[in-house]
Amino acid sequence: MRTKSSIYIPLFIVITLILKINGTAYGQSVYQPYSFDFNQKFSADLYSTHTRILSSVKTNFIDDSLLKHTYDSIMNVNSGRNRLLNEHLIDVKSNGNTFYGEVLPDFEIGRDFSGGRSVWTTSLGAQIGGTIGSKFTYYASFYANRAALPDYVVDNINTSAYIPGQGKDRSLDHYIKDWDYTTFDLSYTPIKYINFTLGKDKTFIGDGYRSLMLSDFASNYPFFKITATIGNVRYMSMYAYMDNPTNPSVPYGPTTGKWAYFQYIEWNINKRFTLGLFQNVMEADKDADGQKQGFNPSLASPFVFLDPLDNIDNNPAKNLLGLNAKLKVFNKAIIYGQFVLNEFHAADFYSSDGAVDNKSGYQIGFRGADMFNIKGLNYLAEFNTARPYTYSSFNQTSNYSQDGQPLADPFGANFREWVGILNYSVGRFDFKAEGDYALFGLDINGLDYGQNIFKPYTSAPNPLGNYIGQGLRTNFYYAEGKVDYIVNPKYNLRVELGGMYRNEKNAEGTQKTPLLLFGIKSSFRQIYSDF
């Protein structure tokens, strides 16, 4: 059995190497939670042919000088003399240190016209953050939440016991949901080339709206992350502890912990083309005999693709490999894509025989900024797909999930998805329009057809001949439009009016959800409803 002291071996080696390097410190980093709606405002900088910014790892910190300039302009848009509309509630700067804090209201009310009833959310939170000198950044937030949610969201919660992307439901199958949401990050940048972050948060890898590698759909998780940037190369190694239902068919039951090991390296080959390699290993915290394993230093290797053999057998530690690419086709516009491989058997992979262990997915998209030369009008078109049983494992613990939610696309596996998004920002107004269509196959007659990643793929009814959409063939339609007025950009305090239409249809019935929503919101959290 491994000792706890073995956890610190990789960290000790890295710190020793750092202390031997001469370098200068970064300027102060700014903590900025990742959300697509906010991050897309940097598209003109990120996708310009005149810049060479490493963009696929969303680090939750703004430290690039080019992005910092745009960030400052967003935070001070139409700034006036009214401090309440332009500053943190508490904002202290003294002797090279900073501190800020505020209360975060998040209230929403709406009408679900399908059921003729009201939906609402009441959240009250608080956040603090700041810097100590030029090398240390800290942030923490907490929300207490209570809500009456649309039926399709309630159905999702009752089958997993978790609020999508937020936390564990305390309501035990009741209609009114009750949960907490916490985040904290401690960031240390000893020299300009490397950063250490310890926290409970999320990381997103990719250039699209979804990610087939690591998305922000699941709940926050505790992690330790090392990020190194030298020239046009960025390397990230992250070690996280995640939770999984012991028996996914029994919501609100006991859970089992697991360790997640991530490595990603990204290279800006030139100003137009960027390539990234990704690896993840999932390992249960306890072995088959129930003995605690703990952190595994042998899986924490900083080298990408060192453990590919976990893809080809029943090793308890399951591996996910990936390739990420981005090409600037012209100024402020890119083609991007991902390919992930969850298990590899050459004979099945190249024969296209629909083998159950042929588990892979890919993404391709096109996005850009300032469409029709209109500043702030940004766009995205994206296609995602994953074969049946992708992200699942031969047991119920080492699948690719956190808190009963997928770590990649919210549709799990056995799906095809098309997404289109338009964003427009002018002054303190933000506009968004989204359309989404997906085809996926649900389980039917008690058989596992590969969409539910929490079931072991050993229960598949057919070893060969599997295809996307098998099972209960389901069509999903989603449309959303909203407009925000930003009251205070420092913590995204805003007034929001939006409408949404969702339609899920298959041979067993149709579930339609037309919604009209109005709210006063704050924070930069990305809360998804398009699933």
Side-chain angles (χ1 to χ4, degrees):
M1 184 175 176
R2 289 181 289 273
T3 63
K4 290 185 178 180
S5 62
S6 65
I7 296 175
Y8 303 103
I9 294 174
L11 179 59
F12 175 78
I13 294 172
V14 172
I15 292 176
T16 302
L17 291 173
I18 289 171
L19 294 176
K20 294 180 180 293
I21 299 175
N22 292 321
T24 57
Y26 263 133
Q28 289 179 333
S29 296
V30 177
Y31 176 81
Q32 178 59 52
Y34 171 74
S35 74
F36 177 86
D37 291 342
F38 183 79
N39 187 261
Q40 59 83 27
K41 295 182 179 183
F42 296 93
S43 295
D45 292 327
L46 292 173
Y47 308 135
S48 168
T49 53
H50 306 296
T51 64
R52 202 167 176 175
I53 301 173
L54 294 158
S55 63
S56 62
V57 178
K58 310 305 188 280
T59 61
N60 292 334
F61 292 93
I62 303 294
D63 49 25
D64 187 284
S65 59
L66 291 174
L67 296 184
K68 188 67 165 57
H69 174 76
T70 301
Y71 178 83
D72 289 341
S73 68
I74 294 172
M75 291 296 108
N76 295 287
V77 61
N78 293 346
S79 60
R81 295 183 178 180
N82 192 331
R83 186 175 181 276
L84 292 176
L85 303 182
N86 297 282
E87 300 295 337
H88 293 289
L89 184 63
I90 302 171
D91 199 344
V92 179
K93 298 180 177 68
S94 176
N95 299 322
N97 304 321
T98 66
F99 174 83
Y100 64 86
E102 50 243 329
V103 175
L104 301 173
D106 216 314
F107 306 116
E108 186 175 59
I109 188 168
R111 188 71 173 172
D112 182 347
F113 294 99
S114 63
R117 62 178 183 83
S118 296
V119 294
W120 50 267
T121 300
T122 59
S123 297
L124 188 60
Q127 71 173 7
I128 61 170
T131 58
I132 300 175
S134 61
K135 300 180 180 181
F136 188 78
T137 303
Y138 60 92
Y139 175 84
S141 66
F142 172 82
Y143 292 83
N145 311 275
R146 189 171 173 82
L149 299 165
D151 287 341
Y152 79 93
V153 181
V154 173
D155 291 344
N156 181 283
I157 295 168
N158 289 343
T159 58
S160 69
Y162 291 92
I163 312 298
Q166 298 191 65
K168 188 158 189 175
D169 174 29
R170 292 197 300 261
S171 65
L172 297 178
D173 207 23
H174 290 198
Y175 184 74
I176 304 298
K177 299 302 178 184
D178 186 12
W179 72 98
D180 294 332
Y181 181 96
T182 58
T183 302
F184 81 88
D185 287 84
L186 303 174
S187 170
Y188 178 57
T189 307
I191 60 173
K192 69 177 183 178
Y193 306 108
I194 197 160
N195 171 266
F196 300 99
T197 304
L198 176 72
K200 183 182 180 183
D201 208 333
K202 307 177 185 183
T203 294
F204 185 101
I205 297 178
D207 289 284
Y209 178 63
R210 308 288 199 196
S211 175
L212 300 184
M213 293 179 177
L214 182 60
S215 77
D216 58 341
F217 180 72
S219 305
N220 290 352
Y221 41 83
F223 70 91
F224 174 69
K225 179 162 56 179
I226 304 168
T227 306
T229 306
I230 300 176
N232 297 307
V233 177
R234 173 173 290 164
Y235 166 80
M236 182 203 76
S237 189
M238 182 171 72
Y239 315 114
Y241 188 80
M242 301 187 176
D243 218 15
N244 204 70
T246 302
N247 185 352
S249 63
V250 183
Y252 303 94
T255 60
T256 302
K258 60 185 175 184
W259 291 92
Y261 308 86
F262 300 90
Q263 288 84 32
Y264 182 77
I265 185 166
E266 179 183 20
W267 178 28
N268 266 349
I269 297 173
N270 54 45
K271 284 187 176 182
R272 289 184 179 266
F273 186 59
T274 304
L275 194 64
L277 300 176
F278 170 84
Q279 175 179 272
N280 161 262
V281 180
M282 289 287 190
E283 184 179 53
D285 192 38
K286 295 181 180 180
D287 62 20
D289 298 323
Q291 296 297 312
K292 187 174 179 64
Q293 300 186 102
F295 186 87
N296 188 343
S298 68
L299 296 178
S301 165
F303 300 104
V304 181
F305 294 168
L306 191 66
D307 260 328
L309 292 182
D310 288 334
N311 262 27
I312 61 175
D313 57 26
N314 284 344
N315 190 312
K318 296 306 294 179
N319 186 275
L320 179 69
L321 306 177
L323 177 69
N324 189 84
K326 175 185 71 178
L327 175 66
K328 297 177 183 178
V329 288
F330 48 85
N331 192 35
K332 301 181 184 179
I334 65 167
I335 293 174
Y336 61 91
Q338 294 182 334
F339 175 75
V340 294
L341 188 63
N342 196 205
E343 192 149 334
F344 182 73
H345 294 264
D348 292 326
F349 184 81
Y350 293 112
S351 68
S352 301
D353 57 5
V356 67
D357 53 15
N358 184 1
K359 301 187 296 177
S360 61
Y362 69 89
Q363 173 192 83
I364 187 166
F366 178 68
R367 69 179 297 183
D370 302 345
M371 187 165 63
F372 307 128
N373 290 321
I374 300 174
K375 183 177 176 58
L377 181 58
N378 301 337
Y379 56 93
L380 175 145
E382 182 176 293
F383 173 74
N384 301 288
T385 185
R387 290 187 51 78
Y389 310 102
T390 304
Y391 305 113
S392 63
S393 181
F394 64 91
N395 62 36
Q396 293 180 331
T397 302
S398 55
N399 56 54
Y400 199 59
S401 69
Q402 147 68 357
D403 276 355
Q405 303 152 86
L407 281 167
D409 195 288
F411 288 109
N414 190 15
F415 73 90
R416 294 190 183 100
E417 177 191 25
W418 293 260
V419 184
I421 300 176
L422 281 175
N423 295 91
Y424 180 53
S425 299
V426 55
R428 294 202 174 202
F429 282 96
D430 288 343
F431 301 87
K432 179 182 179 181
E434 176 188 349
D436 194 327
Y437 167 74
L439 167 70
F440 51 88
L442 298 173
D443 295 345
I444 190 171
N445 299 327
L447 298 177
D448 175 17
Y449 284 99
Q451 191 267 344
N452 186 345
I453 69 171
F454 299 96
K455 293 184 177 181
Y457 64 82
T458 52
S459 63
N462 303 307
L464 299 174
N466 295 282
Y467 59 92
I468 294 174
Q470 67 180 14
L472 181 59
R473 187 180 180 91
T474 302
N475 290 286
F476 171 91
Y477 306 89
Y478 181 91
E480 179 187 18
K482 65 179 181 179
V483 56
D484 293 341
Y485 177 76
I486 309 300
V487 178
N488 188 318
K490 288 294 191 297
Y491 55 103
N492 206 24
L493 178 66
R494 64 199 187 275
V495 179
E496 182 174 291
L497 176 65
M500 182 267 280
Y501 176 78
R502 179 186 184 276
N503 187 341
E504 184 175 329
K505 182 167 57 176
N506 55 45
E508 293 191 349
T510 300
Q511 184 184 47
K512 295 181 180 180
T513 307
L515 280 175
L516 185 63
L517 298 165
F518 173 79
I520 298 174
K521 300 184 175 184
S522 59
S523 91
F524 295 91
R525 296 181 298 168
Q526 183 82 29
I527 298 175
Y528 293 95
S529 57
D530 50 354
F531 58 88

